[in-house]
Amino acid sequence: MEPIPLSPDELVARLGRWSAGRGPLYLLLAARIRQLADEGLLPPGTPLPPDRRLAAALAVGRTTVVSAYETLRQEGRLVRRQGSGTRVAPAVLAPAEPRVTETSNPMFLHLLDPSGEDGVILLSCAAPAAAPPELAEAYAGLVLPGDDLGYHPAGLPALREAVARRYERRGVPTEAAQVLVTTGAQQAIALLTRLLVAPGDGVLVEAPTYPGALDLFREAAAVPHPVPVGPDGLDVTEAVRVMERHRPSLAYVIPRFQNPTGTVLPPLPGRRLVEAAGAHGVPLIEDEVLSELDFGAGSGTPPLSSYGSDVIGVGSLSKAVWGGLRIGWVRGPAPLVGRLARLKALHDLGSDVPAQLAAVRLLDGFAPLLRRRVRELRAGHDRLRADLARLLPSWTCSPAAGGQTLWVRLPHGDGVSFAQVALRHGVAVLPGSTMDALGGSTRMLRLPFLLPRDVLAEGVRRLAAAWAEYAPAGGSGRSGGSAGSGALNAIAV
């Protein structure tokens, strides 16, 4: 049976308070039509009103409706043909799940490729190359609870208390009820995004920033409001202007050993950022994953949560211990943590219990492990800078205050096209433009210094050979500017 066409007024009634959210109207309209289709309120094949008539009924410009329809057409949810109008896509064409987004991030796609089979050195992902012996020791002899179902959506009480104690030692009063244990920091950011961000909402981000967070915000159909990062971290003056002008649904920042630049936000601007977020009602997420990987320069910088109890901290053990230990956490107001726990229960019923028990053991004697990790990172940092200076003297980078990566500037060309040449020489790198929502950082590369000494040295040697091909005899190289999405996707081969 052919679905009955909807009049503009009938569709407007079903749309309800579609424009009550934040962000561009066309995204809000597209999100509501998408939801109606997912809920079966717009069955497959339903004819939708023409652009002009719906625009008039909604009291918006025709461009708003055209852009909304086009967004949904590109997703495969609408079919638009000249002469036959716009219809909800047949079920066979509609996605099985709403707003499913597959990553095109080179950082993740390189991890998904089979490792060790093609000889490519991965300088595209910053993570410890191997688990420390303390991790195996922490697992040895674990005694699992005999009277426990094993489902703890908010996390094991012992681990929540251990994380709370770590915040206490840093001068941030914290109770276990303010801590949610997650399956890594990526899940922590994902849960916060799902809870706080609706399609079309604004999100304040640093430019550049951690690309995994940008992917999550894009999946949520958020509108990024990027703020530049300079030698002293985030431009807080500009961040305050963004909060005043756009009132984003959240702000995501990495104040200590910023990923990828390695910079540290000084205390006074950090306090001002927290105060501005509180004044404008903007939830402020502080990514603390790298905060303890301190080479000394950032030792006197307190966490943002020391300036305001509403700051939402995100941490994990993936960088200090090992990426395979999928233990992360959120620290925030107890009511928010309670809501996040209910959302997490919906997704996985709780993180791995043996891993949480091992994490408790690790945190009980964490200081020696952390000191050794920092020594190894600092040595890798110094070796990488020395190798770059010797083999690629035209490249420039400032020393990092901590963390895991150098932020390297090419003298000409662009990172996306150079990454293609580097891959053909057997080394994968992450171009700066993949981390910059402003569309900048085109001449930048993020280079981690975590691999074993001989592997890292070979990686630099391959980069030098690639650069000799890319820019022979100091020539102008390939001029770049911003690369399109096709070029970014082509990196992940």
Side-chain angles (χ1 to χ4, degrees), residues 434-445:
T434 64
M435 295 169 272
D436 196 326
L438 276 175
S441 303
T442 54
R443 288 189 178 178
M444 307 301 292
L445 300 175

Side-chain angles (χ1 to χ4, degrees), residues 59-418:
V60 298
R62 179 172 175 250
T63 302
T64 296
V65 177
V66 171
S67 298
Y69 279 176
E70 179 61 19
T71 297
L72 295 171
R73 185 197 67 78
Q74 292 179 2
E75 294 178 4
R77 293 175 176 274
L78 296 184
V79 176
R80 284 167 66 77
R81 295 190 180 91
Q82 189 171 3
S84 59
T86 302
R87 292 174 178 265
V88 177
V92 68
L93 296 180
E97 296 290 341
R99 295 196 293 115
V100 170
T101 301
E102 295 180 0
T103 182
S104 60
N105 187 325
M107 180 181 70
F108 294 139
L109 290 175
H110 281 304
L111 292 177
L112 291 167
D113 283 339
S115 60
E117 297 180 5
D118 53 12
V120 173
I121 295 175
L122 293 183
L123 293 179
S124 52
C125 184
E134 289 91 341
L135 181 57
E137 294 166 5
Y139 271 96
L142 279 184
V143 178
L144 299 179
D147 56 351
D148 191 324
L149 287 175
Y151 297 120
H152 296 274
L156 281 180
L159 182 54
R160 298 176 77 188
E161 291 166 3
V163 173
R165 287 195 297 271
R166 291 182 63 75
Y167 279 98
E168 291 277 357
R169 289 194 290 269
R170 297 168 65 198
V172 181
T174 303
E175 299 178 354
Q178 294 178 261
V179 175
L180 172 81
V181 177
T182 61
T183 306
Q186 186 73 13
Q187 187 190 53
I189 302 170
L191 291 172
L192 286 164
T193 302
R194 186 171 288 269
L195 183 66
L196 299 175
V197 179
D201 282 0
V203 174
L204 187 154
V205 295
E206 296 167 314
T209 190
Y210 167 56
L214 290 179
D215 275 1
L216 291 171
F217 302 146
R218 291 189 188 107
E219 183 188 36
V223 177
H225 296 296
V227 177
V229 172
D232 293 322
L234 178 73
D235 183 343
V236 171
T237 299
E238 178 59 24
V240 173
R241 289 195 193 103
V242 168
M243 291 183 192
E244 292 172 344
R245 188 179 304 124
H246 299 287
R247 300 296 174 93
S249 288
L250 65 81
Y252 169 78
V253 299
I254 312 172
R256 282 170 55 85
F257 319 125
Q258 201 263 353
N259 182 2
T261 65
T263 57
V264 176
L265 185 66
L268 286 179
R271 182 184 293 275
R272 184 184 176 205
L273 180 68
V274 173
E275 291 173 349
H280 297 293
V282 177
L284 178 60
I285 297 176
E286 177 184 15
D287 188 329
E288 303 177 277
V289 171
L290 301 171
S291 65
E292 293 184 297
L293 305 181
D294 185 357
F295 299 166
S299 300
T301 307
L304 295 184
S305 50
S306 66
Y307 305 134
S309 59
D310 288 339
V311 174
I312 303 166
V314 168
S316 85
L317 295 177
S318 64
K319 307 306 183 186
V321 182
W322 183 50
L325 181 63
R326 305 305 302 144
I327 294 295
W329 56 80
V330 175
R331 183 265 175 206
L336 173 73
V337 167
R339 294 173 64 196
L340 287 170
R342 291 191 291 274
L343 181 60
K344 181 173 167 59
L346 180 67
H347 287 271
D348 63 10
L349 298 179
S351 297
D352 179 77
V353 169
Q356 293 184 69
L357 291 170
V360 173
R361 286 189 172 186
L362 285 170
L363 290 177
D364 283 343
F366 199 54
L369 187 159
L370 182 61
R371 283 196 297 268
R372 188 179 72 249
R373 177 67 77 191
V374 169
R375 283 197 305 269
E376 293 169 349
L377 286 170
R378 188 163 192 171
H381 168 275
D382 295 344
R383 286 196 298 266
L384 178 56
R385 294 194 76 232
D387 287 345
L388 290 173
R390 179 170 54 88
L391 295 178
L392 289 159
S394 65
W395 292 15
T396 56
C397 63
S398 299
Q404 303 179 121
T405 60
L406 288 177
W407 190 231
V408 179
R409 177 178 291 279
L410 305 178
H412 44 74
D414 73 275
V416 169
S417 58
F418 173 69

Side-chain angles (χ1 to χ4, degrees), residues 118-122 421-428 458-459 462 466:
D118 53 12
V120 173
I121 295 175
L122 293 183
V421 180
L423 199 56
R424 293 195 292 271
H425 283 263
V427 57
E458 174 62 15
R462 295 183 188 185

